[in-house]
Amino acid sequence: MPRYFKVYYCERIADEVSEHVENFLNDVFQMQFRSVGVRIPRQVAWNSERNAFDAKILLENAKSEGLSFFLWLIEKTLVLDGRYVFGYAEAIKGTIVSTSRMATRTLVAKEVAFHVGKVLGLQQCKDNCLMKETTSFETLIQKPSALCNSCIAKFNRVKIRYI
Ligand SMILES: [Zn+2]
């Protein structure tokens, strides 16, 4: 586990949103999340048919630069294997999440935390939990803003192993 988790933004994300997201993540995971700068998505990752960025290509770009344990929050819509998604994450590597279609900063924070949880070794959870998969907008609105007890226990075990 790194000393802190890196957070990149595309230049259009409002400070109000980014600050809220970082505070929310600090609360949920009890570790540091630090804004490290602006990253502009490369045009080669743009899918003009879907009018969205390809999440896998963007993540590959960041990984090829040696980045790990990072969150990249962008404003444009994302596609994964041709389907629209809120975000995409790979364990240990990083995650990219889109703020498009998110009505409030609370929803952005919840969705971001779900993907960050995956990077930090958590998996989808079936309980009433922040790690519940976002199958629809309704599940995102309804799911709680905290991890369930079993995910907290799991996360604490992962933390001990890495620190
Ligand atoms: Zn859970």
Side-chain angles (χ1 to χ4, degrees):
M1 200 68 75
R3 277 182 303 119
Y4 67 94
F5 205 100
K6 296 182 272 296
V7 186
Y8 294 93
Y9 296 99
C10 101
E11 57 190 345
R12 290 203 197 114
I13 306 286
D15 288 349
E16 183 218 24
V17 173
S18 57
E19 276 163 25
H20 180 75
V21 166
E22 282 169 41
N23 290 336
F24 186 87
L25 291 171
N26 285 330
D27 279 354
V28 170
F29 297 105
Q30 299 290 307
M31 61 183 285
Q32 276 211 44
F33 289 81
R34 222 182 272 171
S35 171
V36 288
V38 169
R39 268 187 81 84
I40 309 295
R42 293 209 198 139
Q43 262 334 102
V44 12
W46 181 249
N47 182 326
S48 52
E49 246 171 64
R50 308 297 256 162
N51 210 26
F53 278 107
D54 187 300
K56 261 188 196 163
I57 297 176
L58 288 182
L59 206 71
E60 283 305 318
N61 286 165
K63 275 160 56 187
S64 70
E65 290 170 28
L67 297 180
S68 62
F69 289 105
F70 65 91
L71 156 68
W72 187 6
L73 201 56
I74 74 163
E75 178 221 31
K76 287 273 195 309
T77 310
L78 291 172
V79 278
L80 181 66
D81 300 326
R83 284 185 309 121
Y84 291 108
V85 290
F86 292 119
Y88 173 61
E90 286 182 15
I92 325 276
K93 305 298 185 197
T95 178
I96 174 155
V97 182
S98 166
T99 61
S100 82
R101 303 189 293 160
M102 301 278 187
T104 69
R105 59 184 194 173
T106 306
L107 296 183
V108 174
K110 279 206 266 185
E111 184 62 9
V112 164
F114 168 74
H115 291 282
V116 165
K118 282 182 163 178
V119 178
L120 291 171
L122 290 173
Q123 267 136 33
Q124 284 172 22
C125 178
K126 295 219 165 14
D127 295 333
N128 191 30
C129 173
L130 185 58
M131 289 308 294
K132 194 174 198 168
E133 190 187 8
T134 310
T135 47
S136 68
F137 207 59
E138 283 66 38
T139 48
L140 180 59
I141 291 168
Q142 281 159 17
K143 76 177 172 181
S145 294
L147 298 173
C148 72
N149 287 338
S150 99
C151 284
I152 290 174
K154 198 171 173 190
F155 182 58
N156 285 335
R157 286 197 299 274
V158 173
K159 259 182 163 175
I160 290 165
R161 205 186 312 151
Y162 286 101
I163 290 175

